[in-house]
Amino acid sequence: TGAAWELVKSYDYVDDAGTTQQQVLREETTVNGNRHKRFVQRYRGANGRYLKRKPEGFAPLLYNLPAVTAAIATAGDVWLLEGEKDADNAIAAGLAATTNAGGATAFPAELLEHFRGATVNLVVDNDQAGYKRAATLTAQLLKAGIEARAYLPDVTDRKGDFTDHLDAGGTVDTLVQITVDDAIALDA
């Protein structure tokens, strides 16, 4: 309560025409010497101004949609990460990478069809939400007939993510592949 939140980064979600339709804002604050983060979403309204509430009929978007669409058009690999920071680091590493707004457990089912024709490499965080995401989302992709593999970062940090993996000297080749059953067991 009463914390002063500072905008650290804005992540744009664009439609097929390249128009920003949604933004995820990363905000941070320091309270009692501890750094905290939060994510706020906003949506482009009919008049072009941003709204805090999702407009009726808003269709969810994938982050970095143009690159994902291009990769899928050539039957390439797409890397689906858990958050914009990890997606940006994967993009910087030369991968066609994306994520969804709303966190690990908020993947909209209507986005599954975007991946048809690609191989989806799902990289999740090394935590409970990541295990749930790996189990659920990998199973959904496979059930939809979309080739999918799930990976964990090769780090000892209990909350480690793809960025931590890269920071520790890891590469795409050193990610740890897991099955849906592995993810279910980790979640349990």
Side-chain angles (χ1 to χ4, degrees):
T1 303
W5 291 93
E6 175 186 341
L7 176 64
V8 175
K9 179 87 173 162
S10 174
Y11 301 100
D12 293 342
Y13 282 70
V14 301
D15 60 19
D16 290 325
T19 303
T20 300
Q21 297 296 335
Q22 178 181 8
Q23 290 184 318
V24 173
L25 309 176
R26 180 188 176 112
E27 299 176 339
E28 295 182 1
T29 190
T30 302
V31 177
N32 297 329
N34 296 317
R35 197 88 174 136
H36 302 275
K37 66 181 177 183
R38 72 177 181 187
F39 297 91
V40 178
Q41 297 181 44
R42 63 184 187 176
Y43 308 86
R44 183 177 302 280
N47 63 2
R49 294 176 50 198
Y50 283 105
L51 309 170
K52 291 182 180 181
R53 291 183 186 226
K54 189 184 303 184
E56 189 174 323
F58 178 83
L61 296 164
L62 288 170
Y63 185 65
N64 193 31
L65 182 60
V68 170
T69 302
I72 293 169
T74 62
D77 282 5
V78 174
W79 292 82
L80 178 54
L81 292 107
E82 195 177 318
E84 294 85 6
K85 176 187 73 171
D86 285 345
D88 280 349
N89 284 319
I91 292 164
L95 304 174
T98 189
T99 192
N100 60 283
T105 58
F107 191 86
E110 57 264 45
L111 291 177
L112 289 173
E113 280 303 311
H114 281 282
F115 297 109
R116 190 155 307 283
T119 298
V120 177
N121 298 288
L122 176 65
V123 182
V124 299
D125 292 0
N126 190 23
D127 61 14
Q128 204 73 38
Y131 308 147
K132 285 184 190 314
R133 181 177 174 93
T136 304
L137 191 48
T138 305
Q140 289 174 331
L141 287 161
L142 293 171
K143 184 177 179 182
I146 300 166
E147 187 176 343
R149 297 180 290 253
Y151 297 93
L152 286 172
D154 187 16
V155 293
T156 56
D157 181 8
R158 185 76 173 120
K159 296 283 251 178
D161 60 19
F162 182 72
T163 299
D164 297 326
H165 176 81
L166 293 177
D167 289 347
T171 66
V172 169
D173 294 332
T174 60
L175 289 166
V176 179
Q177 188 171 354
I178 61 171
T179 66
V180 172
D181 289 340
D182 293 336
I184 292 169
L186 287 164
D187 184 35

